[in-house]
Amino acid sequence: MKSPWEPILQTALGTPSPHNTQPWRLRINSDQDATLFLEVARTLPDEDTSGHFLICAMGMFLESLRIVSANAGLLLRHTLIDERGPGSPCSSYS
């Protein structure tokens, strides 16, 4: 049986990001649940010293997921999780 995530991700994974890095990774936990991760290796710390590109990229991806889900008749809700550690490109944000 096809996962409900498949058609949503086929569109959302093409979301543009600054410098086209697409730093997101999504782990599908179940048909109703997924976890969004930041792939640090795909960030640009030398160009994005403030982290603004990164914040924009993740926000654009979340918004794309929301729009594509709504188009499929689904409601997407998200909860932000702050588990950053020292050395993380986003560790200066609170």
Side-chain angles (χ1 to χ4, degrees):
M1 186 163 90
K2 190 173 173 178
S3 166
W5 288 102
E6 286 181 45
I8 294 167
L9 291 176
Q10 284 177 351
T11 302
L13 285 175
T15 301
S17 65
H19 299 286
N20 207 29
T21 59
Q22 282 101 3
W24 46 77
R25 294 296 173 260
L26 199 66
R27 180 177 60 211
I28 307 301
N29 301 319
S30 71
D31 283 353
Q32 293 83 33
D33 184 61
T35 305
L36 178 64
F37 293 93
L38 167 67
E39 184 164 333
V40 176
R42 297 194 59 87
T43 63
L44 301 169
D46 292 336
E47 292 84 3
D48 184 19
T49 58
S50 65
H52 287 99
F53 288 162
L54 184 59
I55 292 168
C56 288
M58 299 305 274
M60 288 186 284
F61 183 67
L62 281 172
E63 184 66 3
S64 292
L65 283 175
R66 189 191 65 75
I67 291 168
V68 175
S69 297
N71 191 49
L74 302 170
L75 173 65
L76 177 77
R77 291 181 290 196
H78 67 274
T79 303
L80 298 178
I81 303 169
D82 186 355
E83 294 181 359
R84 296 170 291 193
S88 155
C90 296
S91 62
S92 62
Y93 293 94
S94 58

